[in-house]
Amino acid sequence: MPNQIATSAFSFFGSGAIKNLMDIIKNRDFQRILVITDGSAEESGAAKKITSLIAKNKLVYQVFDRVNMAATVNNVKAAVEAAKSFRADVLVALGSGSVMDTAKAAAVLLGNPDIIDARKLEGRDKSKKPAIPLYLVYSSVGNARGFGYDVMLDDEAQRKKIECFDVHALADAVICDSDIFASSKDFAVSSMALIASSVEALVCKEAWLMTDINAVESIKIIAENVKDAVKGTAAANAAKEQVLYGQYLAGLAVSNSSAGLATAMANALEAANGAPAKLTSALLLSAVMQHNAAASGTKYKDIALALGAKISATAKPDAYRKAAVAAVEKLAKDLKLPKVIEGLELTKDDLEFLADNVMKSTFVESNPKAVTKKKVIDLYKTLIK
């Protein structure tokens, strides 16, 4: 399959970038804006900043804020119903991963009224018509995949993650405005999850030159800035903006290559048990890297260097692979990440169910090294106290 770069038509960055969104909305003569968001954007004040700006421009809007921590099929259904009832002609998503997944799926369904259930989007390019106009405004660190055409949804009835890849889910524009961006209480976990996404994009089977460049630079930028961003030092605001750039690069890498075992396991656990996918992928990164090491070529050397490790020019693969894993573990320790998921309990049946779902994931197929069901179960056990 030929390599690709798929992303939004436009991306705007930095302080005041949100003004570009208002200019686009007015120039395209949109009349009714549905703002899709969640409780965290409301709490941080980001939602108020957006709605105040919309009101100031004398535009009609409505807020839909019923999005779960992990986007669900029912979230999408409710968002579509809200958009139809309001007669929205454009969607503005404000938040991070789950909000973006909800909005992207809703936009596709609204543009394809013959598809009445988000479950029908599972797989590749199931829609035939363009989505209604969609703009993504990031207010926090979230899932790197939000920038691409990927949509991950929880099917609550089956307790599994639906993996959708639809070119019509690409947003018309992405806005990363540092004035709106707010630090969440799990900023460190989210940042490590972004590094996990970039690592998997770098070593997966679909990786290629352009995704490699974005993945390595993403790891470097986030690793260099996340500590200042978390500590709230004088350099915190500038550091947060750099992490936001790193998130965008991670999105370019992941959405134009693929992911791997940590992502598949994180998605399965979130859908079945509610454990945040970003926490799971962050905690599994080291162990999954050790599993994949022998199939990583020279790429762990790039990872080690991006994380600040000192690598000799003559270092052999075993040395720089160990250095890369050690650098990941050091960063996790510096960020005070937990070693296990507090309160997680998994029975033998739970582990079997999870492992079965993981083995069906597209991302396991992309993992650089083959994995067995037993290995998946053993890795899940490391997350339990």
Side-chain angles (χ1 to χ4, degrees):
M1 187 176 77
N3 297 321
Q4 65 173 29
I5 287 292
T7 186
S8 59
F10 294 95
S11 299
F12 302 99
F13 300 90
S15 176
I18 192 63
K19 294 176 183 176
N20 293 95
L21 173 61
M22 292 300 105
D23 290 341
I24 291 172
I25 286 177
K26 288 189 291 183
N27 289 339
R28 294 190 63 180
D29 200 28
F30 293 125
Q31 300 296 314
R32 304 178 72 81
I33 305 167
L34 182 68
V35 178
I36 298 179
T37 188
D38 61 6
S40 63
E42 297 278 0
E43 292 172 10
S44 70
K48 182 66 175 176
K49 290 179 181 178
I50 291 291
T51 55
S52 295
L53 189 58
I54 294 173
K56 183 179 178 181
N57 282 272
K58 296 181 172 55
L59 298 168
V60 179
Y61 73 91
Q62 187 175 91
V63 175
F64 173 84
D65 60 2
R66 301 194 304 277
V67 178
N68 294 5
M69 179 186 70
T72 69
V73 170
N74 287 331
N75 289 158
V76 175
K77 180 180 179 181
V80 169
E81 290 173 350
K84 288 180 177 178
S85 176
F86 179 60
R87 292 179 288 115
D89 57 0
V90 60
L91 304 183
V92 172
L94 172 67
S96 58
S98 61
V99 171
M100 304 316 180
D101 282 330
T102 300
K104 290 195 293 183
V108 171
L109 293 188
L110 288 164
N112 293 267
D114 56 311
I115 306 176
I116 60 174
D117 188 337
R119 295 178 182 86
K120 298 296 184 181
L121 297 177
E122 186 171 19
R124 291 195 175 274
D125 295 325
K126 295 303 175 69
S127 69
K128 303 301 180 184
K129 301 175 183 177
I132 72 166
L134 169 66
Y135 298 88
L136 308 182
V137 182
Y138 274 81
S139 62
S140 62
V141 172
N143 189 327
R145 306 191 74 84
F147 294 96
Y149 58 87
D150 319 51
V151 177
M152 301 292 129
L153 301 172
D154 282 3
D155 182 340
E156 298 123 309
Q158 299 188 56
R159 296 175 61 222
K160 74 167 191 173
K161 190 77 72 173
I162 297 174
E163 299 171 356
C164 314
F165 307 91
D166 197 307
V167 68
H168 292 137
L170 283 168
D172 292 76
V174 172
I175 295 88
C176 299
D177 190 328
S178 53
D179 295 337
I180 292 173
F181 189 61
S183 288
S184 60
K185 60 184 178 181
D186 59 356
F187 191 95
V189 168
S190 298
S191 298
M192 183 59 85
L194 288 173
I195 289 175
S197 293
S198 291
V199 167
E200 293 207 310
L202 182 63
V203 302
C204 73
K205 293 175 182 176
E206 293 82 357
W208 61 288
L209 177 62
M210 292 300 292
T211 57
D212 286 357
I213 291 170
N214 287 318
V216 172
E217 190 63 19
S218 170
I219 295 168
K220 184 175 185 291
I221 290 174
I222 295 171
E224 287 177 348
N225 290 278
V226 63
K227 294 177 189 177
D228 281 335
V230 169
K231 290 177 181 176
T233 62
N237 288 338
K240 290 173 191 173
E241 185 166 343
Q242 290 299 310
V243 172
L244 196 55
Y245 292 150
Q247 176 177 241
Y248 182 76
L249 292 174
L252 285 177
V254 174
S255 295
N256 292 288
S257 56
S258 189
L261 179 57
T263 298
M265 291 183 64
N267 285 347
L269 187 61
E270 182 173 70
N273 294 70
K278 55 190 173 185
L279 175 59
T280 302
S281 62
L283 299 188
L284 284 175
L285 177 56
S286 172
V288 170
M289 284 180 67
Q290 291 178 59
H291 172 76
N292 288 334
S296 63
T298 62
K299 291 186 175 181
Y300 277 32
K301 186 173 185 178
D302 297 326
I303 295 169
L305 291 171
L307 290 170
K310 304 298 182 184
I311 304 294
S312 166
T314 59
K316 293 184 178 180
D318 186 57
Y320 57 68
R321 288 168 183 168
K322 287 180 179 178
V325 172
V328 164
E329 292 175 345
K330 182 180 184 304
L331 181 58
K333 183 178 180 180
D334 290 345
L335 294 175
K336 297 181 171 58
L337 299 191
K339 293 185 179 296
V340 297
I341 299 178
E342 190 67 32
L344 179 63
E345 296 181 0
L346 298 173
T347 65
K348 182 179 179 180
D349 287 344
D350 290 334
L351 290 167
E352 289 285 334
F353 177 79
L354 287 167
D356 284 338
N357 281 338
V358 169
M359 297 303 291
K360 297 173 186 175
S361 172
T362 301
F363 303 129
V364 166
E365 297 175 11
S366 298
N367 200 66
K369 183 179 177 181
V371 61
T372 64
K373 183 176 175 180
K374 181 181 182 303
K375 181 64 178 181
V376 172
I377 290 174
D378 288 342
L379 287 171
Y380 272 131
K381 287 179 179 178
T382 67
L383 301 175
I384 305 170
K385 182 180 288 187

